């Protein structure tokens, strides 16, 4: 029987500790309709019947040691294909306990689940023996390690269960996660990339954007999704979406035109800067794009005029209409713009001379 | 040319060529007349003194308004603390998930990040430690890009120069500047002091002030030749741990995440003051002497026998010297309460951060969603005309200054001061008399973010 909690971020299966994070659809194991690929004897990739990758899980049978004693830890961890933590479960009858042997309460499991979903905790830099405040001389003494929880981490551990929290967090963000990311990166295709980019989870989208590769064959849905991310209100997504634009799209005139129009509408400076870089690195610009850019030149800010002229220069844009517009800039009230126009025209004239 | 003549002519070329084939110096030396200092006069709209963190941005912005701009920098490159001083991690441009300082400073940082093959981290999440949102830049790239942008904006850069006299005469500033073998008299409509030390303000006769005790400077370096993880710290006195640990953290090539910090090694230099050549020489000598001492001591420690310096900045970076007495003094209370004035032109975000005698740091953090701001009046010396400052020497009390001095804030000030100066020229009034709304509007056109 499933018992949903108020937060909707976890559920408790009677007699079985099982927590997962919000929006982790399709999480539960469905032995009938799934295929599994195993890596070693404990890490599995779950695929649906059509062979589409769903998630990874791994069972750990280990121990949490402190005060010269170890307690067994039997836990299964789940990740998305991008290595994002999804949840944990324990075999029937197993539970987590604290220093005083009290079992975790439901509240503590929820808290643990939240801690595990945070990849940015300082645990990465902290060694096992540094968890507790200890005088330096006793650093290596096992007897001394159950002292007060270090100030630095007290907000990120379950009270009286610092080692357990730390241990599980390290399992979540350890070698298996690295392997999962590596594996997915190597097997990235249009379909799982699109899934990631369309995820409800920002982290998945970012992962997808950071792993886009020029070697993939790209599709129209992917192109449209990328454009919508470029136009997103979230500056970080939009910046990374521009950054991720694959080479193939830079040869697509329609794509570049929309990219240029996005440039005019976007206010985030970092994204705009990246768009300029992409436009410069495109193999060529369409007449349509050049004509649209020409129309905007008198409306845009001085620093944008400078960027546009640099784009023209990179692509050796010298059609008479563009040269005409740049000549008009020579009458601009801002002497800086006049200088930019003058420099541009003088390079243009030099190039004419060189071509003769 | 007759045949014979032509042959003779060719012969003479041949003879010349033989001589030219000999080592150049043998025949190239000539006696030159004793050098006479080259004197010149020039006129400019906006004169910026100091091409550091704030001054570079001020000069680029001034140039981009179409004003004829001259920049005097006593060093050999632009960037000041950001480059020459080694504090190559400007901050902070974002607060509480939003960008609060943009404009030319950010443009320069972005270009440096991009050209270094880096990618920005996610600023939408507020980090646990404020400094994680500083953006590490490659100082060499930053200095070159800054120069390129100045030149593109038509700025006349004068390196190795420093003003020797500053006078207001007939509505214009007359600044005499001396450099290697040159002496220039520059007439400027507007003067912006970006020396970080308010030296030009003081030379112009306006009041400046200084604390009895100032924060220490730092000489920045890095070391190699040892493996921190292999050291037995229990055998090394505590006082060396910081020096050893900090140097093991390397500037990472950023991809994403909050890993933009560049811990760096430094020795404190108490009383460091970069105001004059003499005081700065002392600060440099003191820094180098204590670094030498440290290195010698470290090499005596177990596991550190092969330690060596791998880089050292050419000068001691200075935190605090003189501040102007301006039309408005930003107080610590203003800062931590996020006060916004009618004439606030830029934001500032950092904890109050006072290094005390190199022994401890007093820090006070802003409460969530609060961001401090910088009014134009804090950039105008009392009783001044056509004169502005930008950078750490703005008018503020000591604690507010310890936060306002950070680089993104200095860049914001630089851009604001330049726009104010150009509007002053256009309107024919002194900066104190221009309408803040006009400055704000113009700043926005140039990509700056205005407090509201
Ligand atoms: C050790 C240290 C650590 C810091 N840490 C941080 C940090 O983590 N993050 C952060 O954002 N900020 C930090 N800061 C603060 C910040 O770097 C400085 O306050 C800021 O860069 C000051 O900018 P400025 O333009 O006022 O002065 P500067 O950058 O010092 O520029 C002044 C320029 O003027 C030139 N100059 C001076 N006098 C003359 C003259 N008479 N004639 C011609 N030119 C002259 C100088 O050569 C220099 O180029 C730190 C500072 C120090 C010293």
């Amino acid at each position: 029987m499933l018992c949903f909690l108020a937060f909707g971020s976890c559920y408790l299966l009677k007699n079985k500790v099982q927590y997962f994070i919000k929006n982790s659809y399709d999480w539960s194991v469905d032995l009938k309709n799934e295929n599994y690929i195993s890596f070693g004897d404990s890490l599995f990739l779950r695929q649906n019947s059509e062979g589409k990758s769903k998630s990874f899980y791994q069972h750990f049978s280990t121990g949490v040691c402190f005060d010269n004693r170890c307690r067994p830890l039997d836990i299964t961890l789940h990740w998305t294909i991008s290595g994002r933590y999804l949840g944990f479960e324990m075999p029937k009858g197993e539970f987590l306990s604290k220093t005083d042997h009290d079992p975790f309460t439901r509240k503590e499991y929820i808290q643990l689940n939240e801690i595990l979903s945070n990849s940015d905790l300082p645990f990465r830099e902290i060694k096992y023996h540094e968890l507790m405040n200890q005088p330096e001389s006793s650093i290596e003494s096992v007897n001394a390690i159950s002292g007060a929880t270090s100030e630095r981490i007290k907000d990120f551990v379950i009270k009286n269960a610092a080692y357990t929290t730390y241990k599980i967090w390290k399992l979540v963000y350890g070698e298996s996660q690295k392997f999962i990311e590596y594996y997915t990166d190597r097997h990235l295709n249009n379909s799982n990339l699109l899934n990631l980019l369309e995820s409800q989870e920002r982290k998945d989208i970012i992962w997808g954007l950071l792993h886009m590769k020029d070697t993939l064959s790209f599709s129209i849905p992917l192109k449209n999704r990328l454009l919508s991310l470029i136009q997103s209100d979230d500056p970080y997504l939009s910046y990374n979406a521009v950054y991720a634009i694959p080479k193939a799209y830079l040869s697509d005139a329609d794509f570049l035109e929309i990219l240029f129009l996005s440039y005019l509408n976007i206010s985030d400076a970092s994204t705009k800067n990246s768009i300029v870089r992409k436009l410069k690195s495109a193999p060529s610009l369409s007449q349509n794009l050049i004509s649209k850019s020409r129309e905007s030149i008198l409306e845009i800010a001085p620093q944008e005029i400078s960027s546009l002229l640099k784009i023209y220069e990179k692509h050796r844009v010298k059609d008479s209409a563009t040269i005409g517009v740049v000549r008009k800039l020579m009458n601009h009230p801002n002497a800086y713009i006049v200088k930019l126009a003058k420099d541009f025209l003088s390079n243009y004239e030099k190039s004419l001379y060189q071509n003769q | 040319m007759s045949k014979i003549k032509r042959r003779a002519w060719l012969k003479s070329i041949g003879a010349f060529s033989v001589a030219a084939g000999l080592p150049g110096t043998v025949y190239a030396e000539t006696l030159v007349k004793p050098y006479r200092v080259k004197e010149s006069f020039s006129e400019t709209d906006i004169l910026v003194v100091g091409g550091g963190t704030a001054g570079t941005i001020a000069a680029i912005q001034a140039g981009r308004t179409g004003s004829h701009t001259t920049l005097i920098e006593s060093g050999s490159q632009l960037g000041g603390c950001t480059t020459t001083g080694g504090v190559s991690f400007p901050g902070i441009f974002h607060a509480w998930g939003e960008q609060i300082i943009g404009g030319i400073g950010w443009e320069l940082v972005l270009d440096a990040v991009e050209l270094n093959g880096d990618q920005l981290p996610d600023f939408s999440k507020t980090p646990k430690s404020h400094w994680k949102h500083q953006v590490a830049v490659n100082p060499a790239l930053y200095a070159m890009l800054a120069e390129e942008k100045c030149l593109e904006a038509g700025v006349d850069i004068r390196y190795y120069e420093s003003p020797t006299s500053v006078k207001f005469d007939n509505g214009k500033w007359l600044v005499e500047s001396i450099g290697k073998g040159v002496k220039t008299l520059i007439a400027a409509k507007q003067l912006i002091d970006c020396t970080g030390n308010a030296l030009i303000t003081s030379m112009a006769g306006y009041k400046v002030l200084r604390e009895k005790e100032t924060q220490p400077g730092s000489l920045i370096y890095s070391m190699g030749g040892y493996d921190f993880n292999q050291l037995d710290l229990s055998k090394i006195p505590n006082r060396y741990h910081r020096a050893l640990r900090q140097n093991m953290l390397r500037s990472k090539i950023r991809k994403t995440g909050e890993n933009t910090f560049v811990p760096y090694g430094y020795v404190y230099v108490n009383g460091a003051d970069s105001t004059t050549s003499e005081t700065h020489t002392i600060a440099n000598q003191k820094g180098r002497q204590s670094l030498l001492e440290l290195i010698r001591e470290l090499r005596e420690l177990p596991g550190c026998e092969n330690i060596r310096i791998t880089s050292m900045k050419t000068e001691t970076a200075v935190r605090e010297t003189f501040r102007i007495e301006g039309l408005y003094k930003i107080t610590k209370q203003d800062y931590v309460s996020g006060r916004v004035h009618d004439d606030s032109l830029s934001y500032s975000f950092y904890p109050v951060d006072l290094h005390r005698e190199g022994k401890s740091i007093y820090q006070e953090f802003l409460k969530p969603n609060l961001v401090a701001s910088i009014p134009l009046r804090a950039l105008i010396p009392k009783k001044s005309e056509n004169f502005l400052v930008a950078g750490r020497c703005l008018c503020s009390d000591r604690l507010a200054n310890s936060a306002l001095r950070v680089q993104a804030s200095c860049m914001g000030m630089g851009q604001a001061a330049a726009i104010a100066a150009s509007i002053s020229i256009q309107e024919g009034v002194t900066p104190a008399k221009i309408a803040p709304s006009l400055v704000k509007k113009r700043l926005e056109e140039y990509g700056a973010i205005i407090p509201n």
Side-chain angles (χ1 to χ4, degrees):
Chain A
M1 187 192 77
L2 294 180
C3 144
F4 283 89
L5 292 174
F7 299 92
S9 63
C10 68
Y11 64 80
L12 192 68
L13 207 65
K14 209 164 184 193
N15 290 333
K16 189 170 173 183
V17 174
Q18 194 176 46
Y19 285 78
F20 70 100
I21 64 155
K22 225 169 156 176
N23 293 334
S24 49
Y25 65 96
D26 257 6
W27 178 75
S28 56
V29 177
D30 175 2
L31 288 171
K32 266 187 250 140
N33 296 317
E34 288 183 340
N35 301 322
Y36 296 88
I37 298 179
S38 71
F39 305 94
D41 54 6
S42 61
L43 177 65
F44 293 91
L45 164 63
R46 297 167 56 197
Q47 295 183 321
N48 67 11
S49 48
E50 288 127 44
K52 199 166 131 186
S53 300
K54 287 172 74 176
S55 65
F56 282 84
Y57 73 88
Q58 184 170 15
H59 183 74
F60 293 91
S61 238
T62 174
V64 180
C65 302
F66 56 93
D67 285 355
N68 279 339
R69 264 171 294 149
C70 291
R71 290 184 197 177
L73 174 67
D74 249 328
I75 193 164
T76 301
L77 299 172
H78 295 258
W79 298 266
T80 59
I81 59 163
S82 61
R84 179 168 60 82
Y85 166 77
L86 274 177
F88 72 90
E89 61 186 328
M90 303 185 76
K92 232 177 184 172
E94 290 286 332
F95 58 90
L96 295 173
S97 62
K98 293 172 271 180
T99 327
D100 45 16
H101 292 280
D102 278 351
F104 271 42
T105 62
R106 181 183 289 178
K107 213 171 140 200
E108 285 162 339
Y109 278 123
I110 294 172
Q111 196 192 342
L112 176 69
N113 194 36
E114 265 165 28
I115 291 169
L116 297 180
S117 62
N118 187 349
S119 57
D120 291 329
L121 296 185
F123 290 152
R124 239 179 254 285
E125 304 108 51
I126 296 176
K127 298 205 178 97
Y128 203 72
H129 64 253
E130 289 169 345
L131 273 179
M132 302 296 167
N133 283 331
Q134 284 302 310
E136 257 169 20
S137 57
S138 64
I139 267 177
E140 297 305 333
S141 155
V142 182
N143 288 327
I145 62 174
S146 61
T149 308
S150 160
E151 266 303 301
R152 202 172 153 207
I153 55 143
K154 80 175 187 341
D155 294 340
F156 313 120
V157 292
I158 306 296
K159 202 168 171 211
N160 294 330
Y163 289 105
T164 305
T165 317
Y166 175 87
K167 177 92 191 197
I168 304 177
W169 192 93
K170 284 284 203 187
L171 291 178
V172 172
Y173 297 102
E175 289 307 312
S176 304
Q177 193 216 25
K178 267 192 217 146
F179 173 80
I180 293 168
E181 290 198 55
Y182 170 79
Y183 180 86
T184 306
D185 180 65
R186 294 290 300 269
H187 292 83
L188 205 61
N189 55 34
N190 256 331
S191 138
N192 53 21
L193 180 59
L194 189 61
N195 273 348
L196 286 164
L197 297 185
E198 284 178 339
S199 164
Q200 300 293 311
E201 278 295 325
R202 191 169 176 270
K203 276 187 188 164
D204 291 344
I205 303 177
I206 292 169
W207 196 94
L209 291 173
L210 292 175
H211 289 82
M212 271 178 95
K213 288 187 265 285
D214 285 333
T215 45
L216 287 175
S217 68
F218 292 96
S219 64
I220 291 178
L222 203 61
K223 185 169 86 175
N224 291 339
R225 179 62 187 147
L226 197 61
L227 281 170
S228 79
L229 287 170
I230 289 171
Q231 288 152 4
S232 137
D233 290 337
D234 179 334
Y236 189 59
L237 284 188
S238 113
Y239 167 77
N240 275 294
V242 175
Y243 211 93
I245 295 173
K247 270 201 185 117
Y249 293 168
L250 294 180
S251 305
D252 177 334
D254 292 343
F255 182 88
L256 290 183
E257 269 172 50
I258 304 177
L259 188 64
F260 179 72
L261 294 179
S262 309
Y263 171 81
L264 296 178
N265 292 326
I266 286 171
S267 59
D268 178 57
S270 318
T271 308
K272 283 179 101 99
N273 188 285
S274 281
I275 294 181
V276 168
R277 193 163 45 84
K278 288 287 176 182
L279 290 174
K280 274 194 209 155
S281 62
S284 65
L285 300 181
S286 68
Q287 274 313 312
N288 224 358
L289 191 156
I290 294 169
S291 115
K292 283 197 174 116
S293 68
R294 234 178 6 238
E295 285 160 23
S296 69
I297 206 163
L298 295 170
E299 315 285 314
I300 57 182
Q303 59 277 17
E304 291 174 345
I305 298 181
S306 158
S307 301
L308 196 53
L309 292 180
K310 279 182 194 137
I311 294 174
Y312 289 165
E313 216 148 59
K314 179 78 203 308
H315 289 284
R316 299 169 199 272
V317 175
K318 336 177 176 167
D319 59 279
S320 56
T322 308
I323 297 298
V325 166
V326 179
R327 285 217 167 95
K328 266 196 203 148
L329 290 179
M330 296 288 289
N331 301 322
H332 200 281
N334 183 337
Y336 164 61
I337 307 291
V338 175
K339 177 182 179 289
L340 293 177
K342 208 167 137 190
D343 291 349
F344 181 86
L345 291 172
S346 109
N347 285 341
Y348 162 71
E349 269 147 30
K350 256 187 235 156
S351 74
L352 282 184
Y353 180 73
Q354 274 161 6
N355 288 342
Q356 273 167 12
Chain B
M1 208 186 277
S2 74
K3 259 191 182 167
I4 296 173
K5 267 191 185 164
R6 191 181 157 84
R7 210 168 286 145
W9 183 72
L10 284 171
K11 233 179 168 180
S12 79
I13 293 187
F16 182 76
S17 308
V18 170
L22 290 170
T25 44
V26 175
Y27 293 99
E29 67 180 25
T30 47
L31 273 174
V32 290
K33 285 188 193 152
Y35 185 82
R36 291 185 56 164
V37 170
K38 192 180 126 204
E39 294 191 20
S40 60
F41 171 77
S42 68
E43 281 192 272
T44 195
D45 292 329
I46 300 175
L47 173 62
V48 180
V49 184
T53 313
T56 299
I57 308 301
I60 298 170
Q61 177 59 84
R64 286 189 186 174
T65 61
S67 308
H68 188 283
T69 305
T70 304
L71 171 62
I72 297 179
E73 163 56 46
S74 57
S76 58
Q77 64 174 7
L78 299 179
C81 280
T82 314
T83 55
T84 315
V87 190
S88 309
F89 31 94
I92 293 180
F93 296 90
H94 299 78
W96 316 117
E98 282 191 33
Q99 181 148 15
I100 48 138
I101 297 172
I104 295 172
W106 184 243
E107 175 192 316
L108 199 44
V109 167
L110 275 179
D111 282 359
V113 164
E114 188 236 299
L115 204 54
N116 206 42
D118 295 347
Q119 224 169 310
L120 293 172
D122 188 355
F123 294 109
S124 66
K125 291 183 290 174
T126 304
K128 279 260 170 264
S129 314
H130 63 280
W131 44 262
K132 287 195 174 179
H133 271 184
Q134 308 202 121
V135 184
V137 292
N138 176 327
L141 279 178
Y142 188 92
M144 290 189 281
L145 287 165
E147 187 173 271
E148 183 182 61
K149 283 184 195 291
C150 275
L151 296 176
E152 193 224 36
V155 176
D156 174 17
I157 306 176
R158 305 188 68 90
Y159 287 128
Y160 301 116
E161 283 192 24
S162 184
T164 49
S165 88
V166 181
K167 282 190 197 111
F168 194 55
D169 184 43
N170 224 355
K172 277 201 177 169
W173 286 102
L174 286 180
V175 175
E176 188 188 69
S177 166
I178 295 192
K180 291 187 196 180
V182 295
K183 185 170 165 187
T184 320
L185 186 63
I186 303 169
K189 292 178 186 157
Q190 295 282 328
L191 186 45
I192 309 179
D193 180 354
C194 296
T195 57
N197 307 313
L199 177 67
I200 310 305
T201 315
S202 186
M203 285 169 73
Y206 306 129
K207 283 189 182 155
V208 299
L209 47 91
R210 177 193 164 102
E211 301 292 329
K212 242 191 203 144
E213 176 220 312
T214 54
Q215 299 178 74
S218 291
L219 178 63
I220 292 174
Y221 65 90
S222 62
M223 298 187 298
Y226 71 111
D227 182 350
F228 181 73
N229 291 323
Q230 298 302 315
L231 296 180
D232 182 352
L233 288 180
S234 65
K235 297 202 173 108
I236 296 178
N238 264 344
R239 64 178 183 281
Y240 296 116
H241 290 189
R242 184 182 63 94
L244 290 165
R245 187 174 294 119
Q246 291 223 357
N247 281 282
M248 293 316 295
L249 298 165
R250 304 221 184 288
S251 163
K252 298 179 196 160
I253 292 285
R254 297 181 306 285
K255 279 296 171 211
T256 54
E258 294 164 349
N259 54 354
T260 55
F261 67 104
V262 190
Y264 55 105
Y266 62 84
V267 283
Y268 272 133
V269 182
N270 289 332
D273 181 347
S274 52
T275 311
T276 67
S277 309
E278 284 178 355
T279 58
H280 210 170
T281 301
I282 294 169
N284 290 341
Q285 286 170 353
K286 272 168 81 175
R288 288 169 200 149
Q289 275 157 16
S290 37
L291 182 53
L292 262 181
E293 217 168 280
L294 174 70
I295 277 293
R296 286 188 179 120
E297 287 170 22
L298 290 177
R299 286 174 68 91
E300 301 283 316
L301 303 172
C304 301
E305 295 80 2
N306 295 319
I307 270 189
R308 59 181 190 278
I309 291 281
T310 47
S311 77
M312 180 188 76
K313 287 293 157 181
T314 50
E315 60 183 46
T316 293
V318 170
R319 286 189 174 81
E320 183 186 4
T321 56
F322 296 89
R323 307 190 291 275
I324 65 160
E325 195 162 283
L327 296 180
Y328 184 82
K329 185 184 256 182
I330 306 173
T331 63
K332 185 203 106 179
Q333 193 45 35
D334 286 342
Y335 199 91
V336 296
S337 66
R339 184 161 178 197
V340 175
H341 304 258
D342 273 353
D343 63 338
S344 287
L345 300 181
S346 185
Y347 280 121
S348 171
F349 186 68
Y350 210 74
V352 168
D353 184 79
L354 197 74
H355 293 238
R356 291 180 291 205
E357 290 173 2
K359 292 194 182 98
S360 63
I361 304 178
Y362 172 76
Q363 282 192 326
E364 201 174 321
F365 291 84
L366 272 73
K367 299 226 162 62
N369 298 321
L370 291 182
V371 183
S373 75
I374 300 163
L376 174 61
R377 284 164 298 149
L379 308 181
I380 304 176
K382 266 186 188 160
K383 298 189 180 150
S384 70
E385 260 188 87
N386 301 340
F387 196 106
L388 289 144
V389 304
R392 64 171 185 254
C393 58
L394 83 165
C395 186
S396 45
D397 72 22
R398 191 175 187 215
L399 287 175
N401 191 267
S402 70
L404 284 158
R405 69 191 170 92
V406 294
Q407 296 178 28
S409 309
C410 289
M411 292 172 181
M413 288 180 233
Q415 187 162 7
I419 289 284
S422 86
I423 293 180
S424 282
I425 295 173
Q426 181 192 309
E427 302 283 303
V429 289
T430 192
K433 297 212 169 116
I434 52 180
S437 57
L438 208 56
V439 189
K440 290 184 199 174
K441 190 166 166 274
R442 192 68 56 84
L443 273 168
E444 266 181 326
E445 283 163 19
Y446 283 94
I449 297 171
I450 306 299
N452 55 38

